[in-house]
Amino acid sequence: MTSNQRAYLAGLLDGDGSIMLQLKPREGMRYLFRVKTAVVLYQDSRYMETLKKFRTLIGAGYVYRRNDHMSELRIEGFTQVKRFLQLIQPYVQFKHNQVTLLLAALNIAQRKKYTIDEFLEICKMADAIATTNYRSSQRKYTAAYVRQILEDHNLVPVTTGSPTVSE
């Protein structure tokens, strides 16, 4: 991919895209939630063929038409999202902080074995990314919510404040 193509895709993401780091409840997961990543480029369905060309250029993702006359190029999965973001990172302007946060979260999540503190850090990064997204007010699985669930299942120590010292 040329630098012009990477810059164009970064601009498209800045203007008509979303960067998502989501937490989904899932049985069998050590910390009860699955980490999901996605980068989505949105366009009117009249430009669906162009999105398909971008998909081929990127070498990842899938394109589909929504019911509201919009189409999406959706890139999901740790490896594909990371590779795409690393390609366009130098060119991203408005969503630079989101890209940086998601790449940091991916560096933890891709290891598979991470501590509860690292998982909670991913949750905080998900909150930070979501605050800049359009529908972030509808999120149920915030870092605070996830932490409470983990505490309820005795997976994270509950802190009650500073210990007192008696003389």
Side-chain angles (χ1 to χ4, degrees):
M1 192 181 312
T2 68
S3 60
N4 282 346
Q5 291 167 326
R6 291 192 307 264
Y8 186 86
L9 290 170
L12 188 58
L13 177 63
D14 270 337
D16 288 324
S18 290
I19 295 170
M20 293 177 272
L21 175 57
Q22 300 170 318
L23 306 163
K24 303 281 188 176
R26 187 158 190 182
E27 287 185 34
M29 298 299 289
R30 183 174 30 170
Y31 301 128
L32 308 177
F33 288 83
R34 171 180 166 236
V35 177
K36 182 179 177 188
T37 60
V39 174
V40 186
L41 304 175
Y42 306 95
Q43 282 297 303
D44 186 286
S45 288
R46 292 177 293 176
Y47 303 106
M48 190 168 185
E49 291 306 313
T50 302
L51 285 178
K52 288 178 181 178
K53 288 178 186 174
F54 292 156
R55 195 220 81 61
T56 300
L57 181 65
I58 295 165
Y62 58 94
V63 176
Y64 74 96
R65 184 184 316 261
R66 302 184 333 198
N67 291 333
D68 62 354
H69 305 290
M70 293 293 290
S71 290
E72 296 183 6
L73 167 51
R74 181 173 285 266
I75 303 165
E76 296 177 334
F78 294 169
T79 302
Q80 291 183 340
V81 167
K82 185 175 185 177
R83 188 175 63 79
F84 176 67
L85 290 180
Q86 287 174 329
L87 281 172
I88 67 166
Q89 184 178 23
Y91 305 98
V92 175
Q93 300 296 310
F94 297 117
K95 294 185 172 136
H96 181 76
N97 190 43
Q98 290 179 33
V99 169
T100 302
L101 285 167
L102 186 50
L103 287 172
L106 283 167
N107 284 335
I108 298 169
Q110 280 188 305
R111 290 194 317 240
K112 302 288 186 208
K113 292 187 178 184
Y114 41 82
T115 66
I116 188 72
D117 289 332
E118 290 172 319
F119 177 69
L120 291 170
E121 189 62 30
I122 290 172
C123 295
K124 290 177 188 174
M125 289 184 229
D127 283 359
I129 290 169
T131 59
T132 60
N133 287 342
Y134 179 66
R135 300 184 81 149
S136 65
S137 63
Q138 298 176 4
R139 284 180 69 239
K140 178 178 180 180
Y141 304 115
T142 63
Y145 179 87
V146 169
R147 183 178 185 87
Q148 185 61 57
I149 297 296
L150 294 172
E151 287 175 1
D152 292 348
H153 285 83
N154 297 315
L155 292 172
V156 65
V158 180
T159 56
T160 58
S162 302
T164 57
V165 178
S166 56
E167 294 181 25

